[in-house]
């Protein structure tokens, strides 16, 4: 998801598109990506603690 957000963001910037829906989409995707990354890191830390 993060890769998709970055690629689309660069595409929007290079084509100078300023549609509100495009900006909103990237804000939502970026937020979801950040939340999923935090959840993944927490799960990874818990898993590593159980194994060690």
């Amino acid at each position: 998801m993060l890769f998709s957000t970055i690629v689309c963001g660069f595409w929007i910037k290079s084509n100078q598109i300023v549609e509100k829906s495009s900006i909103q989409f990237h804000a939502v995707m970026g937020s979801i990506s950040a939340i999923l990354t935090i959840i993944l890191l927490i799960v990874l830390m818990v898993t590593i603690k159980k194994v060690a």
Side-chain angles (χ1 to χ4, degrees):
M1 288 176 71
L2 189 57
F3 178 73
S4 173
T5 303
I6 291 170
V7 169
C8 290
F10 283 133
W11 184 84
I12 285 175
K13 186 175 181 179
S14 68
N15 290 311
Q16 298 181 359
I17 297 173
V18 290
E19 295 175 20
K20 288 192 181 250
S21 63
S22 296
I23 295 170
Q24 182 181 11
F25 169 77
H26 284 87
V28 170
M29 292 301 285
S31 299
I32 291 172
S33 296
I35 291 168
L36 289 176
T37 300
I38 291 169
I39 291 171
L40 176 66
L41 289 174
I42 291 170
V43 169
L44 181 64
M45 289 170 38
V46 168
T47 303
I48 288 175
K49 269 191 167 182
K50 287 183 179 180
V51 171

